[in-house]
Amino acid sequence: MTRLVLCAGTTRTAEIDGISAAGADPELMIHTPSADSEILTYGRTVRSPVVPVSPTGCPTPAVVTRAVVERLGLETTVVDAGVAEPTGAPTVTVGANAGDDIREPDPVPSAPGAFAAARQFGRALPDDELFVAETVPGGTTTALGVLTALGEVDVLGPAGDAAEAGVVSSSLPENPLGLKREVVAESLAASGLSPGDAAGEPTVALRRAGDPALAVVSGLAAGALETDTAVTLAGGTQLVAAAACLRHGGYDRRLSLATTSFVAEDPSIDLDRAADGLELSVTVTDPGFTDDHPAMAAYNAGEAKEGVGMGGALALAERASVPMADVRSGVRDVYDRLLAEADREVPAL
Amino acid sequence: MTRLVLCAGTTRTAEIDGISAAGADPELMIHTPSADSEILTYGRTVRSPVVPVSPTGCPTPAVVTRAVVERLGLETTVVDAGVAEPTGAPTVTVGANAGDDIREPDPVPSAPGAFAAARQFGRALPDDELFVAETVPGGTTTALGVLTALGEVDVLGPAGDAAEAGVVSSSLPENPLGLKREVVAESLAASGLSPGDAAGEPTVALRRAGDPALAVVSGLAAGALETDTAVTLAGGTQLVAAAACLRHGGYDRRLSLATTSFVAEDPSIDLDRAADGLELSVTVTDPGFTDDHPAMAAYNAGEAKEGVGMGGALALAERASVPMADVRSGVRDVYDRLLAEADREVPAL
């Protein structure tokens, strides 16, 4: 059996102006992982007061993943990887707390413990195959932080350096790479680390320059690999960073990454290089979005790109021979339901 | 769509010698709700160190419910209604804490808040139909406490009084009714209540003489009824107590109860009277257990009887025209898997 596990967490790094598009408003973005978890589980929001849409109206990729989940009857599980607002989705606890801004000296003290608990959970799950996904606004910046701490990229090198430019994507059409470099440089400085100082020590990188969701993704995948469960990292930049954590942690088993065509076509990430360097077998799926629907047009314009396991879900749909036209029709259904629910009134008690 | 929601909680009332069979050993019984939640969700234990079996080897009714869930592809959700040990099952949080022994003056201070949060969650769930179930060792005693506080029965009346004898079942073949009466009498005395003092005030009854799972079951059903969701209370005695809470709370909509033939045949509970008094439409399902399997033979000998939504699950199987022979074969599968897993080693990290 295949299970999609969503690791939902937060980092205050997302509050830095201009860093993320995961939510219409920076003040509402903190609800995004909780809302994504509900949309994945129920197909609509339940407790979250907001439906995550970008400033231009692009809905969360949870809409796409949910559409596939409904078509395939896929099993899903949400892990609380540091949500900061209540969610109505059932969540598994692994001791992760919301992450602080990585420019603080110890932004994710719960990372080592959450990694260990997630690893035990990953070992114990009964499935043959896990797809591991994330929702964490600001996560491409913390991913860059982790990759830098591990020595996979050098943000202190010359701007535009191929070794850095090819690594992190963005939920924004214009990737604020310069800003991310600055934030990561400050992060490492605050922890007294130089690039590469955490090589071979993924939990140090996760704790000092990462976020709790990335720690949980990495721990879960580690445990699953130890028990011969097939692992697909379902996502883009952040899942590449998780792969780096696994390789640096000595996990050398076969590892797959499934992402969207929007990430694969993003010039700011070189998937082939990541695949070679980290020995990942990469699957890229194009949902064939058309411009006749606002949700799909926004993706075609470069927004969102990936998240909440979207690329993994699309790969599973393709493997099950579900036509992409059916997936697109499901996306329309889930989107319409979400907008209808956004108007629903929940009376106070 | 139909969803089965399991409310998993604990009460230290279960620690009173001789009160419950939900676990082989009183010290292990505290794990039962956590383990039941895992079995319902994954078909096996994940974090729980024990598989709940009675002293004679009767497995938890979660085995039966899980067998039906697997056959029907039924959606399930677990609510943390006061578990006391970690569970690897994903749970929804409603602010419930583990309940104290009801002989203490304020055993469930979280009951009113958990009722309110569960009610909001019940209002928000997207389903057409909810089956609401419980797992809480000691729960038939707290159910008697709630029914007494509401004035539905009088434990202070003469022993064997029809008004009391026909109300509460037990997970033990010999129902320790005398002991339960004593515990409930002490509970009311500790809270300065006489039988019936909490009539019309279910959250008072739940807080002073109940348990957190019963508070969450009642709140969830209340919220679902308010939003015209069809509600089936899936269980025996405890779900009758939940029905009483709903009727005392002014909820007069149609309410169903689905339980097992083991409860219906138990002389210590008069389901017809409960159905009349509380206006419940009752469905009783007989799984046709045979004595050729230890799990089934134990039920035939009067153990366990109900729990974890077993009667509701059987009713759903019958409604979907799944032959009971298939259900029984599923019970064997889940049971064998559980025992195999009980031997599995989880290395410490």
Side-chain angles (χ1 to χ4, degrees):
Chain A
M1 213 188 60
T2 300
R3 182 182 307 273
L4 174 72
V5 183
L6 176 65
C7 304
T10 53
T11 165
R12 297 195 69 175
T13 312
E15 294 171 15
I16 300 170
D17 213 29
I19 223 121
S20 175
D25 177 316
E27 302 205 349
L28 296 180
M29 201 154 55
I30 196 162
H31 294 284
T32 298
S34 303
D36 280 347
S37 300
E38 296 176 357
I39 294 166
L40 181 70
T41 303
Y42 304 113
R44 70 180 218 190
T45 54
V46 164
R47 265 187 193 160
S48 172
V50 291
V51 172
V53 285
S54 77
T56 59
C58 178
T60 165
V63 167
V64 182
T65 305
R66 173 66 191 185
V68 174
V69 165
E70 291 182 5
R71 292 257 164 332
L72 298 185
L74 186 63
E75 290 272 348
T76 63
T77 301
V78 181
V79 178
D80 180 350
V83 296
E85 293 291 327
T87 180
T91 56
V92 176
T93 300
V94 290
N97 294 325
D100 208 343
D101 185 327
I102 53 170
R103 295 172 303 181
E104 297 294 328
D106 191 9
V108 200
S110 68
F115 179 96
R119 180 185 158 208
Q120 280 292 28
F121 181 61
R123 290 183 63 94
L125 276 171
D127 312 286
D128 309 312
E129 183 181 37
L130 282 192
F131 275 57
V132 188
E134 57 68 38
T135 168
V136 50
T140 59
T141 303
T142 46
L144 182 62
V146 168
L147 288 164
T148 305
L150 293 174
E152 292 289 320
V153 291
D154 184 359
V155 295
L156 304 182
D161 178 9
E164 168 216 345
V167 169
V168 293
S169 186
S170 169
S171 58
L172 292 160
E174 295 297 321
N175 194 343
L177 261 180
L179 175 59
K180 291 179 180 176
R181 291 162 56 96
E182 279 172 38
V183 169
V184 168
E186 274 191 60
S187 168
L188 267 63
S191 287
L193 292 175
S194 297
D197 272 2
E201 293 179 285
T203 55
V204 172
L206 290 162
R207 175 173 185 161
R208 299 296 174 175
D211 66 68
L214 199 47
V216 173
V217 164
S218 302
L220 197 58
L225 288 174
E226 287 172 24
T227 48
D228 287 327
T229 303
V231 174
T232 297
L233 302 168
T237 305
Q238 284 127 292
L239 282 295
V240 169
C245 287
L246 290 162
R247 296 311 188 204
H248 277 260
Y251 291 88
D252 54 9
R253 298 201 190 189
R254 184 189 150 81
L255 203 48
S256 302
L257 182 124
T259 192
T260 64
S261 49
F262 306 110
V263 167
E265 289 157 11
D266 181 352
S268 61
I269 178 166
D270 182 347
L271 271 185
D272 289 337
R273 206 187 59 188
D276 282 351
L278 298 166
E279 292 183 73
L280 301 174
S281 50
V282 175
T283 304
V284 173
T285 311
D286 181 350
F289 280 176
T290 50
D291 281 345
D292 66 351
H293 188 277
M296 303 193 200
Y299 280 82
N300 283 342
E303 281 196 71
K305 296 189 186 73
E306 173 59 279
V308 196
M310 175 177 166
L314 292 173
L316 285 168
E318 191 145 281
R319 192 168 82 182
S321 305
V322 173
M324 282 301 147
D326 285 8
V327 171
R328 292 191 295 271
S329 148
V331 168
R332 287 188 184 90
D333 289 350
V334 176
Y335 181 85
D336 291 346
R337 222 187 295 150
L338 269 186
L339 290 204
E341 289 309 323
D343 298 330
R344 180 175 45 103
E345 229 178 306
V346 181
L349 286 174
Chain B
M1 214 188 61
T2 300
R3 181 183 306 273
L4 174 70
V5 184
L6 176 64
C7 304
T10 53
T11 164
R12 297 195 68 175
T13 312
E15 294 172 14
I16 300 169
D17 213 28
I19 225 124
S20 175
D25 177 315
E27 302 205 350
L28 296 181
M29 201 155 54
I30 197 163
H31 295 285
T32 298
S34 303
D36 280 347
S37 300
E38 295 176 357
I39 294 165
L40 181 70
T41 303
Y42 305 112
R44 69 180 220 191
T45 54
V46 165
R47 264 186 195 161
S48 172
V50 291
V51 172
V53 286
S54 77
T56 60
C58 178
T60 165
V63 167
V64 182
T65 304
R66 173 67 192 185
V68 174
V69 165
E70 291 182 3
R71 292 257 165 328
L72 298 185
L74 186 63
E75 290 271 347
T76 64
T77 301
V78 181
V79 179
D80 178 351
V83 296
E85 293 290 328
T87 179
T91 57
V92 176
T93 301
V94 291
N97 295 324
D100 208 344
D101 186 327
I102 54 170
R103 295 171 303 181
E104 298 293 330
D106 191 8
V108 199
S110 68
F115 180 96
R119 182 185 157 209
Q120 280 293 29
F121 181 61
R123 290 184 63 95
L125 276 170
D127 312 286
D128 309 312
E129 186 181 34
L130 282 192
F131 276 57
V132 188
E134 57 69 37
T135 169
V136 50
T140 59
T141 303
T142 47
L144 182 63
V146 167
L147 288 164
T148 304
L150 294 173
E152 293 288 319
V153 292
D154 182 0
V155 295
L156 305 180
D161 178 9
E164 168 217 344
V167 170
V168 292
S169 188
S170 169
S171 59
L172 293 159
E174 295 297 321
N175 193 343
L177 261 179
L179 175 58
K180 290 180 182 177
R181 291 162 56 95
E182 279 172 39
V183 168
V184 169
E186 274 191 62
S187 166
L188 268 64
S191 288
L193 293 175
S194 296
D197 273 2
E201 295 179 284
T203 54
V204 172
L206 290 161
R207 174 173 185 160
R208 299 295 174 174
D211 65 68
L214 200 46
V216 172
V217 165
S218 302
L220 196 59
L225 288 174
E226 286 172 24
T227 46
D228 288 326
T229 303
V231 174
T232 296
L233 301 168
T237 305
Q238 285 129 288
L239 281 295
V240 169
C245 287
L246 289 163
R247 296 311 188 204
H248 276 260
Y251 292 88
D252 54 9
R253 299 200 189 188
R254 185 189 150 81
L255 205 47
S256 302
L257 183 125
T259 191
T260 64
S261 50
F262 306 110
V263 167
E265 289 158 10
D266 181 352
S268 63
I269 178 165
D270 182 345
L271 268 187
D272 290 337
R273 207 187 57 190
D276 283 352
L278 298 167
E279 293 183 72
L280 301 174
S281 50
V282 175
T283 304
V284 172
T285 311
D286 181 350
F289 281 176
T290 51
D291 281 345
D292 66 352
H293 188 277
M296 304 195 199
Y299 279 83
N300 284 340
E303 279 196 72
K305 295 188 185 73
E306 174 59 280
V308 198
M310 176 178 167
L314 292 173
L316 285 169
E318 192 145 279
R319 191 167 82 183
S321 304
V322 173
M324 283 301 148
D326 286 7
V327 172
R328 293 191 295 272
S329 148
V331 168
R332 288 188 184 90
D333 288 350
V334 176
Y335 181 86
D336 290 347
R337 222 187 294 152
L338 269 185
L339 290 206
E341 288 309 322
D343 298 329
R344 181 175 42 105
E345 230 179 304
V346 181
L349 285 175

